Amino acid sequence: MTGHDVPSARVVVLKDGEAVAREMARWLLEEALAKKDGPFVIALSGGSTPKRLFKIMAEPEFAKTFPWDRTQIFFGDDRHVPYTHADSNYTMTRQLLLDHVAIPPANVHPIPADGTPEDDAALYQRSLERVYGGSVLEPGRPLFDVIMLGMGPDGHTASLFPRQPILGEREKWVAACTPDNAPHDRVSLTYPAIHSSRHVVFLVEGAGKAEMLARVRKGEDALPSSHITSEGDVTFLTDEAAAGDL
Ligand SMILES: O=C1O[C@H](COP(=O)(O)O)[C@@H](O)[C@H](O)[C@H]1O
């Protein structure tokens, strides 16, 4: 197996999915409250794993403490489907979290889905540039405070799928991707945009992800999750079942 180590990443193992979600919510609140200079800029992941976290963040006790008014919410990726589609990551997030908290609508940035995936990726980059205040990523001035990521059964993360041209993108912050083994065209943050972050946190749960997590931790080259880096730190927040093969 070819690969490289991921020396800067750390792994935090908690008992189960509930503990993972509670710890992520607690830590996000701590980070958001600690951010004093400028907005707290976060990219959320989609799929099934973050659902429990979003429900916790929508609980009244949590929601009233979180500084929503100075939080800017982006999405790490989305399926290029209308917002009415059941597979839209944005719609899932709105239904479980955003509809239940006092976040100003202008602070929520769904990935557009009306045009071609390429045009919508370019539009999304413009939204990021507006919040960043520039179109060139400067080392030492990260685009995101926190990027949440998931990990798919094929080692994809965000919508960086194995074998796809998006993996070679070094200029654009956002690009389109057509996975060969998963539904829908996608629009996703690219490696350079993800790197421009203070913290990257993978949420990985369940025995079904144990083997893939172990392969990613060994740095298996063909797996997009193996290549995630950050200007700051990369953490795998995982339950005992997913950590089983580490
Ligand atoms: O398709 C996607 O998959 C990954 C992993 O999803 P999960 O259901 O295994 O949690 C997710 O992180 C990504 O946002 C989503 O678009």
Side-chain angles (χ1 to χ4, degrees), residues 12-237:
V12 175
V13 183
L14 296 172
K15 187 171 184 308
D16 53 22
E18 177 69 17
V20 165
R22 294 258 162 219
E23 173 56 14
M24 185 65 184
R26 186 204 65 74
W27 176 80
L28 274 178
L29 177 61
E30 186 178 279
E31 284 295 311
L33 293 176
K35 178 82 188 284
K36 300 292 181 207
D37 52 336
F40 183 64
V41 184
I42 179 166
L44 301 177
S45 54
S48 55
T49 307
K51 290 183 178 177
R52 196 186 327 238
L53 167 69
F54 294 163
K55 287 182 195 163
I56 290 170
M57 293 177 75
E59 287 171 1
E61 273 309 301
F62 184 93
K64 74 178 185 213
T65 327
F66 200 87
W68 299 109
D69 55 333
R70 54 184 184 76
T71 297
Q72 296 286 334
I73 297 209
F74 287 89
F75 293 80
D77 74 306
D78 211 332
R79 292 80 183 258
H80 197 254
V81 294
Y83 296 155
T84 48
H85 197 290
D87 292 348
S88 162
N89 285 337
Y90 163 62
T91 299
M92 178 276 287
T93 307
R94 194 171 49 68
Q95 289 171 345
L96 295 184
L97 173 61
L98 302 172
D99 280 353
H100 309 282
V101 302
I103 187 159
N107 293 16
V108 178
H109 307 274
I111 295 177
D114 291 341
T116 66
E118 291 74 16
D119 288 349
D120 287 337
L123 278 176
Y124 206 52
Q125 177 157 339
R126 297 293 112 67
S127 305
L128 282 162
E129 288 171 357
R130 276 193 290 278
V131 168
Y132 187 61
S135 57
V136 178
L137 293 173
E138 297 168 22
R141 191 169 80 83
L143 177 55
F144 295 102
D145 292 295
V146 174
I147 299 185
M148 268 173 58
L149 292 174
M151 196 189 70
D154 54 358
H156 84 264
T157 188
S159 279
L160 300 170
F161 280 84
R163 302 175 294 281
Q164 299 308 314
I166 193 172
L167 302 181
E169 182 56 61
R170 294 292 175 267
E171 298 298 326
K172 294 177 186 164
W173 304 359
V174 187
C177 176
T178 303
D180 49 23
N181 228 349
H184 311 304
D185 289 335
R186 310 295 182 105
V187 174
S188 179
L189 296 180
T190 59
Y191 284 133
I194 292 173
H195 180 77
S196 186
S197 55
R198 292 174 51 230
H199 305 285
V200 169
V201 182
F202 280 89
L203 298 182
V204 186
E205 291 172 24
K209 295 208 170 152
E211 188 206 335
M212 184 52 65
L213 179 59
R215 289 169 62 189
V216 166
R217 291 292 296 136
K218 284 181 186 143
E220 195 176 319
D221 201 38
L223 306 174
S225 297
S226 299
H227 296 277
I228 293 299
T229 59
S230 166
E231 275 193 27
D233 46 62
V234 178
T235 301
F236 290 83
L237 184 53

